Amino acid sequence: MRAVVIKGKGENKKAPGILQKLFRIYNKVKRTWLATLLFVALPYGAMAQGDPLYLMEAGGTLGLVTYLGDFNANIFRGAQPMGGLVLRRVINPYMHLRLAAFAGKIKGSSQGNGTYYPAYAASPYHFNRRLVDVSVAYEYNFWPYGTGREYRGAKPLTPFIAIGLGGTFVKGKEKNVFTANIPIGVGGKYKVAPRVNLGIEWAMHFSLSDEL
């Protein structure tokens, strides 16, 4: 809210008495009207700014994780359960920053991929490893996301895209591997209540190492 003070010239002492009285009455009425206007406007301003905009979100995530590479050519093959935590910082109704961490397993095999590996012809290669992934991503909502009270025009449902940078740690029998990855995803969000959100996302984490 901005306050504006207008300073005028002083009264004319040489003016007739009737004009001075009228000028004093006008000033009195003007001050009363201004005080009433401010008294009425302040509560409405406070109400308009009182609807909370929650800037931090925290929650959990459940889903499936799978490996796609030389030993698994089908994205739906060998999918394993995963779970994790999500922290989100709301920049504005269109843009969010997300910190996510999840744990799960990845599986792969040299058999059944449609590719012949001479080194594993006699003894097929299989792996089943645990992994932990941590990433920071920028989310862009195609529609302003919210209840509509904290931001005019906000909608409780929106599609979004996400891109970021992360790290993956894989624990195997032979050795452990840590590598960076680039997560890219698409999904949707639905605001069930002012402080309850549901989301669904499909993401690819492009590993910068082929030793997973």
Side-chain angles (χ1 to χ4, degrees):
M1 184 179 205
R2 183 176 63 178
V4 179
V5 179
I6 300 176
K7 185 176 181 180
K9 296 181 180 180
E11 297 179 1
N12 187 356
K13 296 183 179 180
K14 296 183 180 180
I18 186 77
L19 293 178
Q20 291 180 1
K21 291 181 180 180
L22 291 174
F23 190 77
R24 292 193 187 98
I25 293 174
Y26 166 75
N27 281 337
K28 184 177 180 181
V29 173
K30 182 174 68 173
R31 285 193 294 268
T32 303
W33 173 81
L34 179 60
T36 305
L37 177 64
L38 291 177
F39 179 78
V40 173
L42 282 173
Y44 280 96
M47 289 175 62
Q49 297 177 6
D51 293 326
L53 174 61
Y54 300 107
L55 300 180
M56 295 296 297
E57 299 175 0
T61 178
L62 294 173
L64 298 173
V65 59
T66 186
Y67 156 81
L68 186 65
D70 293 337
F71 297 130
N72 187 14
N74 188 335
I75 195 172
F76 299 105
R77 181 185 178 190
Q80 300 293 304
M82 53 79 73
L85 299 174
V86 176
L87 295 176
R88 183 176 285 109
R89 175 65 163 83
V90 178
I91 301 174
N92 59 50
Y94 283 97
M95 296 183 292
H96 297 168
L97 283 179
R98 179 185 68 197
L99 173 64
F102 70 86
K105 284 186 175 183
I106 54 175
K107 297 172 63 176
S109 174
S110 61
Q111 287 183 316
N113 288 317
T115 302
Y116 176 70
Y117 297 99
Y120 305 116
S123 178
Y125 177 75
H126 306 275
F127 70 86
N128 185 349
R129 300 171 181 169
R130 296 181 180 274
L131 69 82
V132 175
D133 187 279
V134 179
S135 63
V136 177
Y138 165 81
E139 297 179 348
Y140 179 78
N141 303 319
F142 288 97
W143 304 325
Y145 182 62
T147 61
R149 294 192 297 270
E150 75 280 3
Y151 181 84
R152 182 178 297 178
K155 301 179 184 299
L157 177 66
T158 182
F160 72 91
I161 58 174
I163 185 170
L165 183 65
T168 302
F169 174 77
V170 176
K171 182 177 180 60
K173 294 182 179 180
E174 301 173 356
K175 64 177 180 178
N176 299 332
V177 178
F178 178 81
T179 180
N181 69 74
I182 301 175
I184 300 177
V186 296
K189 303 173 185 176
Y190 178 67
K191 186 170 284 293
V192 180
R195 304 186 72 170
V196 180
N197 302 282
L198 290 178
I200 184 170
E201 180 181 6
W202 180 84
M204 294 285 289
H205 290 231
F206 294 93
S207 171
L208 301 185
S209 172
D210 59 355
E211 298 182 355
L212 297 182

mmCIF file with all atom_site columns, all heavy atoms in Angstrom, residues 80-102:
data_model
loop_
_atom_site.group_PDB
_atom_site.id
_atom_site.type_symbol
_atom_site.label_atom_id
_atom_site.label_alt_id
_atom_site.label_comp_id
_atom_site.label_asym_id
_atom_site.label_entity_id
_atom_site.label_seq_id
_atom_site.pdbx_PDB_ins_code
_atom_site.Cartn_x
_atom_site.Cartn_y
_atom_site.Cartn_z
_atom_site.occupancy
_atom_site.B_iso_or_equiv
_atom_site.pdbx_formal_charge
_atom_site.auth_seq_id
_atom_site.auth_comp_id
_atom_site.auth_asym_id
_atom_site.auth_atom_id
_atom_site.pdbx_PDB_model_num
ATOM 1   N N   . GLN A 1 80  ? 11.019 -52.181 -10.955 1.00 0.00 ? 80  GLN A N   1
ATOM 2   C CA  . GLN A 1 80  ? 11.090 -52.480 -9.526  1.00 0.00 ? 80  GLN A CA  1
ATOM 3   C C   . GLN A 1 80  ? 10.458 -51.338 -8.715  1.00 0.00 ? 80  GLN A C   1
ATOM 4   O O   . GLN A 1 80  ? 10.468 -50.181 -9.142  1.00 0.00 ? 80  GLN A O   1
ATOM 5   C CB  . GLN A 1 80  ? 12.548 -52.655 -9.098  1.00 0.00 ? 80  GLN A CB  1
ATOM 6   C CG  . GLN A 1 80  ? 13.276 -53.780 -9.811  1.00 0.00 ? 80  GLN A CG  1
ATOM 7   C CD  . GLN A 1 80  ? 12.721 -55.132 -9.450  1.00 0.00 ? 80  GLN A CD  1
ATOM 8   O OE1 . GLN A 1 80  ? 12.656 -55.509 -8.272  1.00 0.00 ? 80  GLN A OE1 1
ATOM 9   N NE2 . GLN A 1 80  ? 12.302 -55.892 -10.461 1.00 0.00 ? 80  GLN A NE2 1
ATOM 10  N N   . PRO A 1 81  ? 9.898  -51.655 -7.536  1.00 0.00 ? 81  PRO A N   1
ATOM 11  C CA  . PRO A 1 81  ? 9.311  -50.589 -6.709  1.00 0.00 ? 81  PRO A CA  1
ATOM 12  C C   . PRO A 1 81  ? 10.375 -49.642 -6.171  1.00 0.00 ? 81  PRO A C   1
ATOM 13  O O   . PRO A 1 81  ? 11.515 -50.033 -5.932  1.00 0.00 ? 81  PRO A O   1
ATOM 14  C CB  . PRO A 1 81  ? 8.617  -51.354 -5.577  1.00 0.00 ? 81  PRO A CB  1
ATOM 15  C CG  . PRO A 1 81  ? 9.327  -52.668 -5.530  1.00 0.00 ? 81  PRO A CG  1
ATOM 16  C CD  . PRO A 1 81  ? 9.745  -52.977 -6.933  1.00 0.00 ? 81  PRO A CD  1
ATOM 17  N N   . MET A 1 82  ? 9.994  -48.395 -6.003  1.00 0.00 ? 82  MET A N   1
ATOM 18  C CA  . MET A 1 82  ? 10.879 -47.383 -5.437  1.00 0.00 ? 82  MET A CA  1
ATOM 19  C C   . MET A 1 82  ? 10.069 -46.465 -4.531  1.00 0.00 ? 82  MET A C   1
ATOM 20  O O   . MET A 1 82  ? 8.846  -46.371 -4.632  1.00 0.00 ? 82  MET A O   1
ATOM 21  C CB  . MET A 1 82  ? 11.560 -46.556 -6.543  1.00 0.00 ? 82  MET A CB  1
ATOM 22  C CG  . MET A 1 82  ? 10.627 -45.932 -7.568  1.00 0.00 ? 82  MET A CG  1
ATOM 23  S SD  . MET A 1 82  ? 9.773  -44.401 -7.066  1.00 0.00 ? 82  MET A SD  1
ATOM 24  C CE  . MET A 1 82  ? 11.129 -43.271 -7.121  1.00 0.00 ? 82  MET A CE  1
ATOM 25  N N   . GLY A 1 83  ? 10.771 -45.791 -3.638  1.00 0.00 ? 83  GLY A N   1
ATOM 26  C CA  . GLY A 1 83  ? 10.138 -44.829 -2.738  1.00 0.00 ? 83  GLY A CA  1
ATOM 27  C C   . GLY A 1 83  ? 11.117 -43.740 -2.358  1.00 0.00 ? 83  GLY A C   1
ATOM 28  O O   . GLY A 1 83  ? 12.337 -43.948 -2.408  1.00 0.00 ? 83  GLY A O   1
ATOM 29  N N   . GLY A 1 84  ? 10.586 -42.579 -2.000  1.00 0.00 ? 84  GLY A N   1
ATOM 30  C CA  . GLY A 1 84  ? 11.484 -41.481 -1.669  1.00 0.00 ? 84  GLY A CA  1
ATOM 31  C C   . GLY A 1 84  ? 10.777 -40.302 -1.040  1.00 0.00 ? 84  GLY A C   1
ATOM 32  O O   . GLY A 1 84  ? 9.606  -40.370 -0.662  1.00 0.00 ? 84  GLY A O   1
ATOM 33  N N   . LEU A 1 85  ? 11.514 -39.197 -0.939  1.00 0.00 ? 85  LEU A N   1
ATOM 34  C CA  . LEU A 1 85  ? 11.040 -37.950 -0.353  1.00 0.00 ? 85  LEU A CA  1
ATOM 35  C C   . LEU A 1 85  ? 11.199 -36.820 -1.350  1.00 0.00 ? 85  LEU A C   1
ATOM 36  O O   . LEU A 1 85  ? 12.114 -36.829 -2.176  1.00 0.00 ? 85  LEU A O   1
ATOM 37  C CB  . LEU A 1 85  ? 11.824 -37.624 0.926   1.00 0.00 ? 85  LEU A CB  1
ATOM 38  C CG  . LEU A 1 85  ? 11.734 -38.651 2.059   1.00 0.00 ? 85  LEU A CG  1
ATOM 39  C CD1 . LEU A 1 85  ? 12.681 -38.265 3.190   1.00 0.00 ? 85  LEU A CD1 1
ATOM 40  C CD2 . LEU A 1 85  ? 10.304 -38.759 2.571   1.00 0.00 ? 85  LEU A CD2 1
ATOM 41  N N   . VAL A 1 86  ? 10.309 -35.829 -1.239  1.00 0.00 ? 86  VAL A N   1
ATOM 42  C CA  . VAL A 1 86  ? 10.325 -34.682 -2.146  1.00 0.00 ? 86  VAL A CA  1
ATOM 43  C C   . VAL A 1 86  ? 10.171 -33.412 -1.330  1.00 0.00 ? 86  VAL A C   1
ATOM 44  O O   . VAL A 1 86  ? 9.286  -33.314 -0.467  1.00 0.00 ? 86  VAL A O   1
ATOM 45  C CB  . VAL A 1 86  ? 9.195  -34.766 -3.195  1.00 0.00 ? 86  VAL A CB  1
ATOM 46  C CG1 . VAL A 1 86  ? 9.186  -33.511 -4.070  1.00 0.00 ? 86  VAL A CG1 1
ATOM 47  C CG2 . VAL A 1 86  ? 9.349  -36.001 -4.061  1.00 0.00 ? 86  VAL A CG2 1
ATOM 48  N N   . LEU A 1 87  ? 11.020 -32.420 -1.599  1.00 0.00 ? 87  LEU A N   1
ATOM 49  C CA  . LEU A 1 87  ? 10.883 -31.068 -1.068  1.00 0.00 ? 87  LEU A CA  1
ATOM 50  C C   . LEU A 1 87  ? 10.734 -30.125 -2.253  1.00 0.00 ? 87  LEU A C   1
ATOM 51  O O   . LEU A 1 87  ? 11.478 -30.232 -3.230  1.00 0.00 ? 87  LEU A O   1
ATOM 52  C CB  . LEU A 1 87  ? 12.093 -30.669 -0.228  1.00 0.00 ? 87  LEU A CB  1
ATOM 53  C CG  . LEU A 1 87  ? 12.331 -31.447 1.060   1.00 0.00 ? 87  LEU A CG  1
ATOM 54  C CD1 . LEU A 1 87  ? 13.635 -30.988 1.717   1.00 0.00 ? 87  LEU A CD1 1
ATOM 55  C CD2 . LEU A 1 87  ? 11.166 -31.266 2.026   1.00 0.00 ? 87  LEU A CD2 1
ATOM 56  N N   . ARG A 1 88  ? 9.786  -29.210 -2.160  1.00 0.00 ? 88  ARG A N   1
ATOM 57  C CA  . ARG A 1 88  ? 9.531  -28.313 -3.278  1.00 0.00 ? 88  ARG A CA  1
ATOM 58  C C   . ARG A 1 88  ? 9.437  -26.879 -2.781  1.00 0.00 ? 88  ARG A C   1
ATOM 59  O O   . ARG A 1 88  ? 8.764  -26.595 -1.790  1.00 0.00 ? 88  ARG A O   1
ATOM 60  C CB  . ARG A 1 88  ? 8.247  -28.708 -4.004  1.00 0.00 ? 88  ARG A CB  1
ATOM 61  C CG  . ARG A 1 88  ? 7.934  -27.856 -5.234  1.00 0.00 ? 88  ARG A CG  1
ATOM 62  C CD  . ARG A 1 88  ? 6.700  -28.355 -5.958  1.00 0.00 ? 88  ARG A CD  1
ATOM 63  N NE  . ARG A 1 88  ? 6.966  -29.579 -6.714  1.00 0.00 ? 88  ARG A NE  1
ATOM 64  C CZ  . ARG A 1 88  ? 6.507  -30.780 -6.375  1.00 0.00 ? 88  ARG A CZ  1
ATOM 65  N NH1 . ARG A 1 88  ? 5.780  -30.932 -5.277  1.00 0.00 ? 88  ARG A NH1 1
ATOM 66  N NH2 . ARG A 1 88  ? 6.781  -31.826 -7.118  1.00 0.00 ? 88  ARG A NH2 1
ATOM 67  N N   . ARG A 1 89  ? 10.104 -25.966 -3.484  1.00 0.00 ? 89  ARG A N   1
ATOM 68  C CA  . ARG A 1 89  ? 10.039 -24.526 -3.194  1.00 0.00 ? 89  ARG A CA  1
ATOM 69  C C   . ARG A 1 89  ? 9.234  -23.853 -4.294  1.00 0.00 ? 89  ARG A C   1
ATOM 70  O O   . ARG A 1 89  ? 9.576  -23.944 -5.481  1.00 0.00 ? 89  ARG A O   1
ATOM 71  C CB  . ARG A 1 89  ? 11.451 -23.930 -3.134  1.00 0.00 ? 89  ARG A CB  1
ATOM 72  C CG  . ARG A 1 89  ? 11.489 -22.413 -2.961  1.00 0.00 ? 89  ARG A CG  1
ATOM 73  C CD  . ARG A 1 89  ? 10.911 -21.989 -1.618  1.00 0.00 ? 89  ARG A CD  1
ATOM 74  N NE  . ARG A 1 89  ? 11.276 -20.643 -1.246  1.00 0.00 ? 89  ARG A NE  1
ATOM 75  C CZ  . ARG A 1 89  ? 10.648 -19.530 -1.657  1.00 0.00 ? 89  ARG A CZ  1
ATOM 76  N NH1 . ARG A 1 89  ? 9.623  -19.627 -2.481  1.00 0.00 ? 89  ARG A NH1 1
ATOM 77  N NH2 . ARG A 1 89  ? 11.051 -18.347 -1.250  1.00 0.00 ? 89  ARG A NH2 1
ATOM 78  N N   . VAL A 1 90  ? 8.150  -23.206 -3.887  1.00 0.00 ? 90  VAL A N   1
ATOM 79  C CA  . VAL A 1 90  ? 7.278  -22.521 -4.843  1.00 0.00 ? 90  VAL A CA  1
ATOM 80  C C   . VAL A 1 90  ? 7.832  -21.124 -5.107  1.00 0.00 ? 90  VAL A C   1
ATOM 81  O O   . VAL A 1 90  ? 7.890  -20.292 -4.196  1.00 0.00 ? 90  VAL A O   1
ATOM 82  C CB  . VAL A 1 90  ? 5.837  -22.438 -4.307  1.00 0.00 ? 90  VAL A CB  1
ATOM 83  C CG1 . VAL A 1 90  ? 4.953  -21.672 -5.283  1.00 0.00 ? 90  VAL A CG1 1
ATOM 84  C CG2 . VAL A 1 90  ? 5.287  -23.840 -4.064  1.00 0.00 ? 90  VAL A CG2 1
ATOM 85  N N   . ILE A 1 91  ? 8.275  -20.884 -6.334  1.00 0.00 ? 91  ILE A N   1
ATOM 86  C CA  . ILE A 1 91  ? 8.755  -19.556 -6.720  1.00 0.00 ? 91  ILE A CA  1
ATOM 87  C C   . ILE A 1 91  ? 7.574  -18.663 -7.057  1.00 0.00 ? 91  ILE A C   1
ATOM 88  O O   . ILE A 1 91  ? 7.461  -17.538 -6.583  1.00 0.00 ? 91  ILE A O   1
ATOM 89  C CB  . ILE A 1 91  ? 9.724  -19.658 -7.908  1.00 0.00 ? 91  ILE A CB  1
ATOM 90  C CG1 . ILE A 1 91  ? 10.910 -20.552 -7.541  1.00 0.00 ? 91  ILE A CG1 1
ATOM 91  C CG2 . ILE A 1 91  ? 10.216 -18.277 -8.325  1.00 0.00 ? 91  ILE A CG2 1
ATOM 92  C CD1 . ILE A 1 91  ? 11.832 -20.829 -8.701  1.00 0.00 ? 91  ILE A CD1 1
ATOM 93  N N   . ASN A 1 92  ? 6.694  -19.151 -7.889  1.00 0.00 ? 92  ASN A N   1
ATOM 94  C CA  . ASN A 1 92  ? 5.438  -18.494 -8.236  1.00 0.00 ? 92  ASN A CA  1
ATOM 95  C C   . ASN A 1 92  ? 4.512  -19.571 -8.792  1.00 0.00 ? 92  ASN A C   1
ATOM 96  O O   . ASN A 1 92  ? 4.914  -20.732 -8.914  1.00 0.00 ? 92  ASN A O   1
ATOM 97  C CB  . ASN A 1 92  ? 5.661  -17.330 -9.222  1.00 0.00 ? 92  ASN A CB  1
ATOM 98  C CG  . ASN A 1 92  ? 6.316  -17.780 -10.517 1.00 0.00 ? 92  ASN A CG  1
ATOM 99  O OD1 . ASN A 1 92  ? 5.888  -18.745 -11.155 1.00 0.00 ? 92  ASN A OD1 1
ATOM 100 N ND2 . ASN A 1 92  ? 7.378  -17.096 -10.916 1.00 0.00 ? 92  ASN A ND2 1
ATOM 101 N N   . PRO A 1 93  ? 3.258  -19.248 -9.134  1.00 0.00 ? 93  PRO A N   1
ATOM 102 C CA  . PRO A 1 93  ? 2.341  -20.299 -9.601  1.00 0.00 ? 93  PRO A CA  1
ATOM 103 C C   . PRO A 1 93  ? 2.790  -21.034 -10.859 1.00 0.00 ? 93  PRO A C   1
ATOM 104 O O   . PRO A 1 93  ? 2.251  -22.097 -11.161 1.00 0.00 ? 93  PRO A O   1
ATOM 105 C CB  . PRO A 1 93  ? 1.041  -19.530 -9.844  1.00 0.00 ? 93  PRO A CB  1
ATOM 106 C CG  . PRO A 1 93  ? 1.102  -18.373 -8.914  1.00 0.00 ? 93  PRO A CG  1
ATOM 107 C CD  . PRO A 1 93  ? 2.546  -17.970 -8.899  1.00 0.00 ? 93  PRO A CD  1
ATOM 108 N N   . TYR A 1 94  ? 3.774  -20.507 -11.583 1.00 0.00 ? 94  TYR A N   1
ATOM 109 C CA  . TYR A 1 94  ? 4.251  -21.169 -12.797 1.00 0.00 ? 94  TYR A CA  1
ATOM 110 C C   . TYR A 1 94  ? 5.552  -21.958 -12.590 1.00 0.00 ? 94  TYR A C   1
ATOM 111 O O   . TYR A 1 94  ? 5.817  -22.889 -13.338 1.00 0.00 ? 94  TYR A O   1
ATOM 112 C CB  . TYR A 1 94  ? 4.501  -20.132 -13.901 1.00 0.00 ? 94  TYR A CB  1
ATOM 113 C CG  . TYR A 1 94  ? 3.257  -19.616 -14.573 1.00 0.00 ? 94  TYR A CG  1
ATOM 114 C CD1 . TYR A 1 94  ? 2.678  -18.415 -14.168 1.00 0.00 ? 94  TYR A CD1 1
ATOM 115 C CD2 . TYR A 1 94  ? 2.646  -20.312 -15.608 1.00 0.00 ? 94  TYR A CD2 1
ATOM 116 C CE1 . TYR A 1 94  ? 1.535  -17.929 -14.771 1.00 0.00 ? 94  TYR A CE1 1
ATOM 117 C CE2 . TYR A 1 94  ? 1.510  -19.831 -16.225 1.00 0.00 ? 94  TYR A CE2 1
ATOM 118 C CZ  . TYR A 1 94  ? 0.954  -18.635 -15.809 1.00 0.00 ? 94  TYR A CZ  1
ATOM 119 O OH  . TYR A 1 94  ? -0.174 -18.155 -16.416 1.00 0.00 ? 94  TYR A OH  1
ATOM 120 N N   . MET A 1 95  ? 6.359  -21.580 -11.608 1.00 0.00 ? 95  MET A N   1
ATOM 121 C CA  . MET A 1 95  ? 7.701  -22.142 -11.482 1.00 0.00 ? 95  MET A CA  1
ATOM 122 C C   . MET A 1 95  ? 7.950  -22.684 -10.070 1.00 0.00 ? 95  MET A C   1
ATOM 123 O O   . MET A 1 95  ? 7.658  -21.998 -9.083  1.00 0.00 ? 95  MET A O   1
ATOM 124 C CB  . MET A 1 95  ? 8.754  -21.086 -11.823 1.00 0.00 ? 95  MET A CB  1
ATOM 125 C CG  . MET A 1 95  ? 8.698  -20.607 -13.259 1.00 0.00 ? 95  MET A CG  1
ATOM 126 S SD  . MET A 1 95  ? 10.011 -19.425 -13.669 1.00 0.00 ? 95  MET A SD  1
ATOM 127 C CE  . MET A 1 95  ? 9.503  -18.007 -12.684 1.00 0.00 ? 95  MET A CE  1
ATOM 128 N N   . HIS A 1 96  ? 8.477  -23.909 -10.016 1.00 0.00 ? 96  HIS A N   1
ATOM 129 C CA  . HIS A 1 96  ? 8.827  -24.546 -8.758  1.00 0.00 ? 96  HIS A CA  1
ATOM 130 C C   . HIS A 1 96  ? 10.241 -25.113 -8.853  1.00 0.00 ? 96  HIS A C   1
ATOM 131 O O   . HIS A 1 96  ? 10.702 -25.486 -9.934  1.00 0.00 ? 96  HIS A O   1
ATOM 132 C CB  . HIS A 1 96  ? 7.863  -25.696 -8.429  1.00 0.00 ? 96  HIS A CB  1
ATOM 133 C CG  . HIS A 1 96  ? 6.447  -25.264 -8.232  1.00 0.00 ? 96  HIS A CG  1
ATOM 134 N ND1 . HIS A 1 96  ? 5.404  -26.161 -8.164  1.00 0.00 ? 96  HIS A ND1 1
ATOM 135 C CD2 . HIS A 1 96  ? 5.890  -24.040 -8.096  1.00 0.00 ? 96  HIS A CD2 1
ATOM 136 C CE1 . HIS A 1 96  ? 4.272  -25.512 -7.985  1.00 0.00 ? 96  HIS A CE1 1
ATOM 137 N NE2 . HIS A 1 96  ? 4.542  -24.214 -7.939  1.00 0.00 ? 96  HIS A NE2 1
ATOM 138 N N   . LEU A 1 97  ? 10.918 -25.198 -7.700  1.00 0.00 ? 97  LEU A N   1
ATOM 139 C CA  . LEU A 1 97  ? 12.189 -25.909 -7.585  1.00 0.00 ? 97  LEU A CA  1
ATOM 140 C C   . LEU A 1 97  ? 11.980 -27.133 -6.700  1.00 0.00 ? 97  LEU A C   1
ATOM 141 O O   . LEU A 1 97  ? 11.337 -27.036 -5.648  1.00 0.00 ? 97  LEU A O   1
ATOM 142 C CB  . LEU A 1 97  ? 13.273 -25.009 -6.982  1.00 0.00 ? 97  LEU A CB  1
ATOM 143 C CG  . LEU A 1 97  ? 13.901 -23.969 -7.905  1.00 0.00 ? 97  LEU A CG  1
ATOM 144 C CD1 . LEU A 1 97  ? 14.925 -23.153 -7.128  1.00 0.00 ? 97  LEU A CD1 1
ATOM 145 C CD2 . LEU A 1 97  ? 14.579 -24.630 -9.103  1.00 0.00 ? 97  LEU A CD2 1
ATOM 146 N N   . ARG A 1 98  ? 12.540 -28.262 -7.116  1.00 0.00 ? 98  ARG A N   1
ATOM 147 C CA  . ARG A 1 98  ? 12.286 -29.518 -6.419  1.00 0.00 ? 98  ARG A CA  1
ATOM 148 C C   . ARG A 1 98  ? 13.588 -30.219 -6.057  1.00 0.00 ? 98  ARG A C   1
ATOM 149 O O   . ARG A 1 98  ? 14.502 -30.327 -6.874  1.00 0.00 ? 98  ARG A O   1
ATOM 150 C CB  . ARG A 1 98  ? 11.442 -30.426 -7.313  1.00 0.00 ? 98  ARG A CB  1
ATOM 151 C CG  . ARG A 1 98  ? 11.127 -31.790 -6.701  1.00 0.00 ? 98  ARG A CG  1
ATOM 152 C CD  . ARG A 1 98  ? 10.393 -32.663 -7.699  1.00 0.00 ? 98  ARG A CD  1
ATOM 153 N NE  . ARG A 1 98  ? 11.252 -33.045 -8.809  1.00 0.00 ? 98  ARG A NE  1
ATOM 154 C CZ  . ARG A 1 98  ? 10.801 -33.531 -9.967  1.00 0.00 ? 98  ARG A CZ  1
ATOM 155 N NH1 . ARG A 1 98  ? 9.503  -33.640 -10.169 1.00 0.00 ? 98  ARG A NH1 1
ATOM 156 N NH2 . ARG A 1 98  ? 11.644 -33.877 -10.919 1.00 0.00 ? 98  ARG A NH2 1
ATOM 157 N N   . LEU A 1 99  ? 13.642 -30.701 -4.829  1.00 0.00 ? 99  LEU A N   1
ATOM 158 C CA  . LEU A 1 99  ? 14.717 -31.568 -4.374  1.00 0.00 ? 99  LEU A CA  1
ATOM 159 C C   . LEU A 1 99  ? 14.098 -32.928 -4.087  1.00 0.00 ? 99  LEU A C   1
ATOM 160 O O   . LEU A 1 99  ? 13.176 -33.032 -3.269  1.00 0.00 ? 99  LEU A O   1
ATOM 161 C CB  . LEU A 1 99  ? 15.386 -31.008 -3.122  1.00 0.00 ? 99  LEU A CB  1
ATOM 162 C CG  . LEU A 1 99  ? 16.417 -31.912 -2.437  1.00 0.00 ? 99  LEU A CG  1
ATOM 163 C CD1 . LEU A 1 99  ? 17.619 -32.157 -3.354  1.00 0.00 ? 99  LEU A CD1 1
ATOM 164 C CD2 . LEU A 1 99  ? 16.865 -31.304 -1.118  1.00 0.00 ? 99  LEU A CD2 1
ATOM 165 N N   . ALA A 1 100 ? 14.583 -33.975 -4.759  1.00 0.00 ? 100 ALA A N   1
ATOM 166 C CA  . ALA A 1 100 ? 13.989 -35.298 -4.610  1.00 0.00 ? 100 ALA A CA  1
ATOM 167 C C   . ALA A 1 100 ? 15.068 -36.334 -4.369  1.00 0.00 ? 100 ALA A C   1
ATOM 168 O O   . ALA A 1 100 ? 16.183 -36.242 -4.906  1.00 0.00 ? 100 ALA A O   1
ATOM 169 C CB  . ALA A 1 100 ? 13.181 -35.666 -5.859  1.00 0.00 ? 100 ALA A CB  1
ATOM 170 N N   . ALA A 1 101 ? 14.736 -37.324 -3.570  1.00 0.00 ? 101 ALA A N   1
ATOM 171 C CA  . ALA A 1 101 ? 15.631 -38.449 -3.303  1.00 0.00 ? 101 ALA A CA  1
ATOM 172 C C   . ALA A 1 101 ? 14.794 -39.712 -3.255  1.00 0.00 ? 101 ALA A C   1
ATOM 173 O O   . ALA A 1 101 ? 13.720 -39.731 -2.633  1.00 0.00 ? 101 ALA A O   1
ATOM 174 C CB  . ALA A 1 101 ? 16.382 -38.252 -1.990  1.00 0.00 ? 101 ALA A CB  1
ATOM 175 N N   . PHE A 1 102 ? 15.260 -40.764 -3.920  1.00 0.00 ? 102 PHE A N   1
ATOM 176 C CA  . PHE A 1 102 ? 14.536 -42.027 -3.865  1.00 0.00 ? 102 PHE A CA  1
ATOM 177 C C   . PHE A 1 102 ? 15.521 -43.180 -3.887  1.00 0.00 ? 102 PHE A C   1
ATOM 178 O O   . PHE A 1 102 ? 16.682 -43.043 -4.284  1.00 0.00 ? 102 PHE A O   1
ATOM 179 C CB  . PHE A 1 102 ? 13.528 -42.160 -5.023  1.00 0.00 ? 102 PHE A CB  1
ATOM 180 C CG  . PHE A 1 102 ? 14.151 -42.355 -6.378  1.00 0.00 ? 102 PHE A CG  1
ATOM 181 C CD1 . PHE A 1 102 ? 14.501 -43.624 -6.831  1.00 0.00 ? 102 PHE A CD1 1
ATOM 182 C CD2 . PHE A 1 102 ? 14.367 -41.276 -7.221  1.00 0.00 ? 102 PHE A CD2 1
ATOM 183 C CE1 . PHE A 1 102 ? 15.062 -43.813 -8.083  1.00 0.00 ? 102 PHE A CE1 1
ATOM 184 C CE2 . PHE A 1 102 ? 14.926 -41.454 -8.478  1.00 0.00 ? 102 PHE A CE2 1
ATOM 185 C CZ  . PHE A 1 102 ? 15.283 -42.731 -8.909  1.00 0.00 ? 102 PHE A CZ  1
#
